[in-house]
Each structure stands twice: as C-alpha cells, then as structure tokens.
C-alpha cells in the first residue's frame, strides 16, 4: 500500500550497487529510513541533497517517487550555505532518532531551511539554529548562560558581528552542550570544515 508524506533529507548513503539508504525526517512519522533504487542515472540523486524538502511516495520502506517540495536558490550553489546545510543535517541525523510524528519539529526545521536559503548573511545561522533546536528538544539554553544571547529571534544572532574566534568558541560550546544532553550525540564530521569557513 502506497503512502505519501513530506520529508526533510538528512542523508543518503550507498547501500549496494543498486540501492541507497535514505535517512529522512518526515511530517507523518518522524525519523524514517527508506531504500531508494535506481539512482545510477545522471543527476537522479540531486533531490536528495542534505536538507532537501521533498514529498515522498513510499511502499512500506521503499521510495517509489520523490518530488521537491521546496526548490532552494542557494543551498547547493553557495559553498558557505552548503557547508551549513551539511552540518545541520548531520546534527539532525544524530539527535532525531525516533519514528514518531512531531509536526512542530518538522515545521521548525522546514522554516529553518527556507530562512537559510533566503539569508544574505549566513555566518551565524548554524549557531542560532542549534540554540533553537535545543529549546525544541527540551533542554533550552539557560538564561544566565552566555550562549543564551545567541537566540533572541528566530535565526537571528546577537550581538553581531562575531569574529571568527568568537564563532568557533560558540560552536564548540554548543556542541559540548548537546553532548551533555543527547545520548546519541556525535560531533558532525563537517564540524572542522564549518569552523574554518567563515572569516
């Protein structure tokens, strides 16, 4: 029996010569993994880029069709935003583990994707996202913490501008905060790259 759901791509990994394993966060069922077949054709995997928002038609745990719900202008062409998207998708891969619908969480992430795509100043975006995500997960940054000032309004970081050193220190502190609160936490592989991206 076929079913349809909106989904946010977390990662796409080779599984065999003919199949890939798609890790997605869905509106209908939370974190679900699917098998995807037939991605050998040129450009066929483009819709499964990190943080792509897609509509999936599935048969149990296999994807029959995938259609982009939101076509980003910049997440695949801007190297800075692409690095942030990869980092955020890795974070979500480690912290969102349960096949349980959570529409407010889904909407929070989908809104973040669109905000990242539209912003002209993405250098602090990942910091604000982590602070907002911590709140959504139930371990909000305490108001007496220096990190609390990172998130006054959605996806806006104050005070600005940050120096490269300040961004690196804030990112390390946020990753450590997540490590203390999330049992499945692992520092994303893209963390070192992200630390060096913004001057």
């Amino acid at each position: 029996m076929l079913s349809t759901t909106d989904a946010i791509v977390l990662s796409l990994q080779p599984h065999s010569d003919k199949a890939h394993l798609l890790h997605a966060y869905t509106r209908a069922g939370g974190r679900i993994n699917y098998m995807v077949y037939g991605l050998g054709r040129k450009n066929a995997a483009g819709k499964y880029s990190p943080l792509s928002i897609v509509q999936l038609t599935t048969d149990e745990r296999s994807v029959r069709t995938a259609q982009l719900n939101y076509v980003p202008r910049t997440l695949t062409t801007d190297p800075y935003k692409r690095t942030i998207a990869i980092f955020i998708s890795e974070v979500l891969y480690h912290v969102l583990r349960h096949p349980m619908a959570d529409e407010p969480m889904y909407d929070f992430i989908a809104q973040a994707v669109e905000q990242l795509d539209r912003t002209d100043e993405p250098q602090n975006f990942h910091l604000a996202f982590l602070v907002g995500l911590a709140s959504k997960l139930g371990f909000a940054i305490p108001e007496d913490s220096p990190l609390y000032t990172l998130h006054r309004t959605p996806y806006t970081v104050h005070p600005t501008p940050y120096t490269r050193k300040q961004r690196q220190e804030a990112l390390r502190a946020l990753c450590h905060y997540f490590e203390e609160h999330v049992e499945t936490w692992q520092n994303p592989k893209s963390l070192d790259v992200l630390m060096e991206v913004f001057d």
Side-chain angles (χ1 to χ4, degrees), residues 55-68:
Q55 183 181 74
L56 300 176
T57 300
T58 64
D59 179 1
E60 294 184 356
R61 292 300 177 90
S62 297
V63 173
R64 290 291 189 89
T65 63
Q67 180 177 352
L68 281 170

Side-chain angles (χ1 to χ4, degrees), residues 24-186:
Y25 193 74
T26 70
R27 179 184 290 280
R31 168 72 177 272
I32 302 178
N33 302 330
Y34 299 100
M35 297 304 299
V36 183
Y37 298 93
L39 293 184
R41 297 181 301 277
K42 186 177 181 180
N43 297 327
K47 66 188 68 173
Y48 297 112
S49 298
L51 296 189
S52 290
I53 302 176
V54 296
Q55 183 181 74
L56 300 176
T57 300
T58 64
D59 179 1
E60 294 184 356
R61 292 300 177 90
S62 297
V63 173
R64 290 291 189 89
T65 63
Q67 180 177 352
L68 281 170
N69 267 0
Y70 175 77
V71 181
R73 297 179 298 108
T74 60
L75 295 193
T76 58
T77 58
D78 185 308
Y80 300 115
K81 292 184 182 182
R82 179 170 174 77
T83 301
I84 291 173
I86 292 171
F87 173 80
I88 289 175
S89 67
E90 284 190 83
V91 168
L92 296 174
Y93 175 87
H94 289 302
V95 303
L96 301 178
R97 308 294 292 185
H98 301 296
M100 182 182 301
D102 184 343
E103 290 196 8
M105 176 64 79
Y106 181 92
D107 290 339
F108 167 77
I109 300 167
Q111 179 190 11
V113 173
E114 296 183 23
Q115 292 284 345
L116 176 59
D117 185 37
R118 289 197 296 262
T119 185
D120 293 325
E121 298 182 349
Q123 58 267 34
N124 293 323
F125 187 91
H126 52 294
L127 304 176
F129 178 83
L130 288 178
V131 176
L133 179 63
S135 180
K136 287 289 183 182
L137 291 170
F139 50 91
I141 306 293
E143 293 188 16
D144 60 353
S145 168
L147 292 174
Y148 183 77
T149 60
L150 292 173
H151 194 264
R152 295 296 192 189
T153 58
Y155 314 112
T156 302
V157 177
H158 298 282
T160 56
Y162 270 87
T163 66
R164 183 178 196 171
K165 182 178 179 182
Q166 287 173 323
R167 288 191 189 97
Q168 290 176 337
E169 290 175 347
L171 184 53
R172 287 192 189 97
L174 282 166
C175 287
H176 180 68
Y177 188 77
F178 269 75
E179 185 177 15
E180 290 180 333
H181 290 84
V182 179
E183 185 177 349
T184 57
W185 175 261
Q186 295 180 32

